[in-house]
């Protein structure tokens, strides 16, 4: 059984007597129809297999996305339970994730800190120090290295406070690009205690 010179099947016939011309003509007429039917069946079978494989891949993708959502929720719980303020910054230095401790520290209202530039949270004269630290972390520091310094933060009402910041690079996961983790601790109390000790 041929279709466009491609062998689709071999049919073996056993007859009790020799096949006559009329029967041979019938076979010659039936075989092209059989070839077309076999090709259609083959395509349908291939389509069914592709569909089944696509459904398996869709199920696997859905399972992976669910696992990713669970992992992200788990990390958010960890970040929220940290005693210090935690900010995750994108490649442009904008806040993409902030825990409640950071929002309280910087006096963020209902809008929160997300999509704010980190340099807007520090006093203007402190911004070059922060920019230098960000550049060091982005360019030279190893992924596991934490660089820290003390800065003066500014709240929306204009009040200032001293805080310590530690910056480290985060691994590029899920195509998010370069990200930084910034941990902050309000050191107002520590500074007051240092002054009291000096006095």
């Amino acid at each position: 059984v041929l279709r466009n010179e491609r062998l689709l099947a071999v049919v073996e016939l056993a007859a009790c007597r020799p096949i006559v011309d009329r029967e041979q003509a019938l076979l010659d007429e039936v075989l092209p129809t059989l070839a077309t039917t076999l090709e259609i069946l083959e395509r349908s079978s291939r389509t069914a297999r592709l569909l089944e494989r696509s459904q398996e891949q869709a199920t696997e993708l859905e399972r992976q996305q669910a696992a990713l959502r669970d992992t992200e929720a788990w990390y958010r719980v960890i970040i929220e339970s940290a005693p210090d303020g935690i900010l995750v910054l994108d490649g442009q230095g904008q806040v993409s994730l902030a825990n409640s401790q950071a929002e309280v520290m910087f006096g963020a209202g209902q809008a929160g800190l997300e999509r704010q530039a980190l340099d807007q949270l520090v006093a203007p004269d402190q911004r070059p120090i922060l920019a230098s630290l960000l550049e060091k972390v982005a360019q030279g520091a190893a992924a596991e290295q934490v660089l820290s310094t003390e800065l003066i933060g500014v709240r929306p009402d204009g009040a200032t406070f001293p805080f310590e910041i530690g910056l480290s690079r985060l691994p590029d996961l899920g195509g998010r690009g370069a990200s930084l983790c910034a941990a902050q601790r309000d050191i107002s109390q520590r500074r007051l205690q240092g002054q009291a000790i000096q006095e």
Side-chain angles (χ1 to χ4, degrees):
V1 181
L2 295 171
R3 176 78 172 167
N4 298 328
E5 298 182 2
R6 188 163 76 90
L7 180 66
L8 297 176
V10 175
V11 179
E12 185 178 350
L13 297 175
C16 297
R17 57 182 170 72
I19 297 174
V20 294
D21 290 344
R22 202 176 70 196
E23 292 167 336
Q24 184 63 47
L26 177 64
L27 284 173
D28 291 343
E29 296 242 348
V30 168
L31 286 177
T33 306
L34 179 61
T36 303
T37 305
L38 282 174
E39 194 173 47
I40 290 169
L41 283 171
E42 187 181 45
R43 285 181 184 169
S44 298
S45 176
R46 197 178 318 132
T47 303
R49 284 197 304 271
L50 285 172
L51 182 61
E52 188 177 314
R53 204 173 312 138
S54 297
Q55 287 172 339
E56 288 172 3
Q57 289 173 345
T59 303
E60 177 63 19
L61 183 62
E62 192 176 308
R63 188 191 63 74
Q64 288 175 352
Q65 287 175 339
L68 187 62
R69 284 192 299 272
D70 291 346
T71 303
E72 190 168 331
W74 187 67
Y75 279 114
R76 281 184 182 266
V77 169
I78 291 172
I79 288 172
E80 276 302 319
S81 65
D84 295 331
I86 304 284
L87 300 175
V88 176
L89 310 170
D90 63 17
Q92 285 72 45
Q94 287 193 331
V95 178
S96 58
L97 178 67
N99 69 354
S100 54
Q101 290 81 343
E103 290 176 344
V104 168
M105 186 185 310
F106 287 101
Q110 287 185 333
L113 294 173
E114 291 188 16
R115 291 185 292 283
Q116 278 197 36
L118 181 62
D119 64 354
Q120 297 303 305
L121 302 175
V122 300
D125 65 330
Q126 302 281 292
R127 291 175 187 164
I129 300 167
L130 177 62
S132 172
L133 186 66
L134 285 167
E135 189 176 331
K136 283 180 189 172
V137 172
Q139 307 254 328
E144 65 278 356
Q145 186 178 1
V146 178
L147 298 179
S148 62
T149 192
E150 292 182 5
L151 297 168
I152 303 298
V154 179
R155 295 189 176 107
D157 62 2
T160 60
F161 66 98
F163 72 99
E164 186 176 58
I165 186 170
L167 287 167
S168 62
R169 276 191 295 145
L170 294 173
D172 181 6
L173 292 175
R176 295 180 187 194
S179 295
L180 298 176
C181 179
Q184 310 86 40
R185 177 175 291 165
D186 188 331
I187 56 171
S188 303
Q189 194 64 34
R190 190 167 77 191
R191 287 222 175 148
L192 288 173
Q193 289 171 344
Q195 287 174 358
I197 289 169
Q198 284 180 348
E199 287 172 8

